[in-house]
């Protein structure tokens, strides 16, 4: 008996039967065309026949003996494919009813062959590689590419599907329990009411000028989510993890970071820091401070985080887009940023988590607009939500501050794009001493509006644009159903 030890997995009979089904019934090809390629076949003659079938199909011609043999003959492949007699024999099957069974066998063997080839490439790379992590990423990419090829079609005929009933059931569930499909909590009542929490698979861009507090706002969201038991991953391309934790600790404990860094902490400050430090140690916050990281590397690391946490990953934060690399050669930076944001959106969908990506704004005057997103309009296009932080006090004149036309530390939080809901805006106060945004008291907002000479319609920003009423207590962690721990 011949030794089949080194023969890759294949089933000649299944390949012949599947090709026969396709040739005698064009409906079979319509069912498998988006899931099957010539590379799925082991025997060369079968690969040539399948390639001809796909070529004829794409030319919108019927796929039968005449058209297929004609295509093979024009390409000079008819004899290599076995000739007309062999193709005719393929069609000598009683019916195409069992095509799914043949298809499953052919695809199974195809995947197994790809895995074997990938394994060999991984071994060769590992033997010569000088970077262990790069070897892991290389292996993950090869396996991931194979798994993506195996994805079945997501086409769904609404006439035959249950998708309409699923949507109605979803709405009914929400009507019975408004918290049933709540997303990841943000720590801010305005955002929670507008979004019902950050939703899975969404790409959320937080954009601001340098120094406006975009990292602080994002870390405030991470803190709130982690206190609710969510697993959060932070990828900081700008700050080392020591500074990230330093911010997180001072913000959560409400201790002045400048006092901590200058050795001016009081006994109460120390108590708050130690108590908060013990609480933070219990939270699931994974911090990576690698520089110039690519979306592919972040995806690889997120997969490992999920595997280490029982398949859980609830929120990803990336600081910030303009420091990222696509890992590919692009003609210019605009194209590279477009590639990066597209990859981040795909990553959010694949991981099924909200991804918060920070972005810089162009230098501009006045309130930020979507056109001000730096380097690429693709950021706006790919994002499900765009949130601006506008700090008028950063460009205000001393006279404007003195006359209280502009209040120091007040920030406008503007939801400029929301693919799945309403847009809106609110005001937050930035506590710079411990890098934290808080929601002002409702009465304070009224006083601020009055002193700035704004009309009554703008005294309650939360009510504008249909974004909901202001929480009764006006606190960051209020009675909106979220328990964030530690906030008044």
């Amino acid at each position: 008996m011949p030794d089949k030890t080194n023969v890759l997995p294949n089933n000649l009979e299944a390949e012949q039967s599947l090709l026969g089904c396709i040739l005698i019934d064009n409906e079979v090809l319509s069912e498998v065309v988006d899931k099957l390629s010539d590379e799925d076949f082991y025997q060369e003659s079968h690969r040539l026949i399948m390639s001809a079938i796909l070529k004829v199909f794409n030319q919108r011609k019927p796929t039968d003996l005449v058209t297929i043999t004609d295509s093979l003959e024009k390409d000079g492949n008819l004899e290599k494919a076995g000739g007309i007699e062999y193709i005719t024999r393929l069609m000598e099957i009683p019916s195409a009813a069992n095509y799914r069974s043949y298809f499953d066998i052919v695809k199974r063997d195809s995947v197994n062959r790809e895995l074997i080839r990938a394994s060999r490439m991984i071994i060769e790379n590992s033997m010569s590689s000088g970077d262990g992590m790069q070897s892991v990423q290389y292996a993950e990419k090869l396996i991931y590419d194979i798994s993506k090829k195996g994805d079945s079609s997501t086409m769904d005929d609404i006439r035959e599907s249950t998708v309409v009933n699923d949507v109605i059931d979803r709405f009914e569930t929400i009507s019975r329990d408004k918290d049933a499909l709540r997303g990841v909590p943000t720590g801010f009542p305005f955002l929670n009411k507008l979004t019902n929490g950050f939703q899975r698979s969404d790409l959320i861009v937080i954009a601001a000028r340098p120094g406006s507090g975009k990292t602080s706002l994002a870390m405030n969201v991470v803190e709130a989510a982690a206190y609710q038991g969510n697993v959060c991953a932070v990828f900081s391309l700008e700050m080392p993890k020591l500074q990230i934790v330093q911010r997180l600790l001072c913000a959560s404990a409400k201790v002045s970071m400048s006092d901590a860094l200058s050795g001016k902490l009081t006994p109460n400050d120390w108590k708050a820091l130690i108590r908060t430090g013990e609480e933070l140690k219990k939270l699931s916050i994974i911090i990576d401070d690698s520089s110039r990281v690519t979306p592919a590397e972040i995806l690889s690391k997120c997969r490992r985080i999920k595997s280490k946490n029982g398949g859980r990953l609830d929120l990803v934060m990336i600081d910030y887009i303009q420091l990222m690399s696509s890992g590919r050669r692009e003609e210019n930076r605009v194209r590279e940023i477009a590639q990066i944001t597209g990859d981040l959106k795909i990553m959010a969908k694949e991981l099924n988590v909200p991804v918060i990506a920070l972005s810089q704004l162009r230098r501009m005057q006045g309130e930020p607009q979507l056109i001000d997103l730096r380097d690429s309009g693709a950021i706006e296009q790919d994002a499900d939500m765009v949130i601006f932080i506008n700090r008028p006090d950063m460009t205000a004149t001393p006279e404007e501050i003195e006359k209280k036309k502009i209040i120091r530390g007040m920030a406008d939080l503007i939801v400029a794009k929301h693919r799945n809901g309403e847009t809106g805006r609110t005001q937050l106060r930035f506590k710079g001493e411990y890098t934290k945004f808080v929601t002002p008291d409702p009465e304070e907002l009224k006083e601020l509006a009055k002193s700035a000479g704004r009309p009554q319609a703008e005294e309650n920003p939360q009510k504008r644009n249909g974004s909901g009423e202001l929480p009764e207590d006006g606190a960051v962690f209020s009675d909106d159903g979220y328990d964030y721990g530690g906030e008044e």
Side-chain angles (χ1 to χ4, degrees), residues 254 434 436 438-439 473-479 484-488:
K254 295 183 184 176
Y434 46 82
K436 194 178 189 72
V438 298
T439 304
D473 63 1
V476 176
F477 303 139
S478 70
D479 59 347
Y484 301 104
E487 182 65 35
E488 295 177 355

Side-chain angles (χ1 to χ4, degrees), residues 40-225:
D40 288 318
F41 291 84
Y42 181 75
Q43 186 160 302
E44 183 185 7
S45 60
H46 296 163
R47 288 200 298 271
L48 292 171
I49 294 169
M50 188 65 208
S51 179
I53 289 172
L54 293 174
K55 183 177 179 180
V56 170
F57 178 82
N58 290 329
Q59 292 172 346
R60 298 183 180 180
K61 297 178 182 178
T63 53
D64 54 29
L65 179 64
V66 175
T67 56
I68 300 305
T69 54
D70 180 66
S71 177
L72 286 166
E73 189 170 23
K74 284 181 179 178
D75 292 337
N77 292 324
L78 183 57
E79 294 305 315
K80 293 179 184 177
I84 295 177
E85 290 184 7
Y86 182 70
I87 298 173
T88 303
R89 284 203 304 272
L90 292 177
M91 301 173 66
E92 295 174 355
I93 57 174
S95 86
N98 296 325
Y99 78 91
R100 289 187 185 276
S101 298
Y102 310 142
F103 171 81
D104 289 342
I105 295 171
V106 171
K107 287 298 290 186
R108 178 201 66 196
D109 289 343
S110 173
V111 170
N112 286 334
R113 288 196 300 272
E114 287 198 67
L115 286 170
I116 291 169
R117 295 186 190 109
S119 299
R120 290 172 179 169
M121 293 169 69
I122 291 168
I123 292 170
E124 290 174 5
N125 181 72
S126 300
M127 294 290 286
S128 60
S129 174
D131 187 332
M133 285 307 300
Q134 190 177 40
S135 298
V136 171
Q137 290 168 9
Y138 177 78
E140 284 182 335
K141 185 179 186 307
L142 288 180
I143 302 301
Y144 173 67
D145 288 345
I146 294 171
S147 71
K148 290 302 288 182
K149 286 182 182 179
D151 283 351
S152 59
S153 173
T154 57
M155 291 190 300
D156 208 350
D157 190 331
I158 200 169
R159 296 169 298 179
E160 303 171 359
S161 170
T162 63
V163 66
V164 173
N165 289 335
D166 291 342
V167 172
I168 292 173
D169 290 343
R170 179 185 176 89
F171 291 159
E172 187 179 356
T173 300
I174 295 172
S175 68
R176 288 197 303 266
D177 180 5
K178 292 181 174 57
D179 298 335
L181 300 175
R182 178 170 282 181
V184 176
T186 68
F188 300 96
F190 167 75
L191 287 178
N192 288 338
K193 292 194 174 187
L194 201 66
T195 66
N196 198 28
F198 284 166
Q199 298 297 310
R200 294 184 177 277
S201 79
D202 277 2
L203 174 61
I204 300 131
V205 172
I206 298 177
R209 293 172 179 168
S212 297
K214 56 183 179 291
T215 303
S216 298
L217 181 70
M219 288 306 301
N220 294 165
V221 173
V222 169
E223 175 194 352

Side-chain angles (χ1 to χ4, degrees), residues 40 51 63 74 132 146 159 184 255 279 282 284 306 316 320 332 334 403 433 481:
D40 288 318
S51 179
T63 53
K74 284 181 179 178
I146 294 171
R159 296 169 298 179
V184 176
V255 169
E279 292 173 356
K282 300 173 185 177
S284 295
K306 289 188 78 168
V316 175
Y320 57 90
N332 53 53
V334 172
K403 293 179 181 179
E433 64 272 20

Side-chain angles (χ1 to χ4, degrees), residues 207-209 361-362 364-373 387-391 412 414 416 425:
R209 293 172 179 168
L361 291 174
R362 295 192 187 103
M364 78 292 180
Q365 296 294 325
E367 196 169 275
Q369 306 292 326
L370 289 170
I371 197 173
D372 296 318
L373 287 164
I387 301 172
F388 291 128
I389 305 170
N390 186 37
R391 294 275 305 279
D412 296 315
I414 306 165
R425 60 192 297 152

Side-chain angles (χ1 to χ4, degrees), residues 211 213-216 219 234-248 257 287-291 317 319-320 323 358 435:
K214 56 183 179 291
T215 303
S216 298
M219 288 306 301
V234 175
F235 295 89
S236 176
L237 286 74
E238 185 177 31
M239 295 182 189
K241 64 182 68 175
L242 184 68
Q243 291 184 15
I244 290 289
V245 176
Q246 180 177 286
R247 281 171 169 253
L248 186 61
M257 191 159 60
I287 302 173
D288 183 286
D289 59 1
S290 304
S291 299
M317 192 275 273
D319 185 11
Y320 57 90
L323 289 179
L358 308 191
T435 63

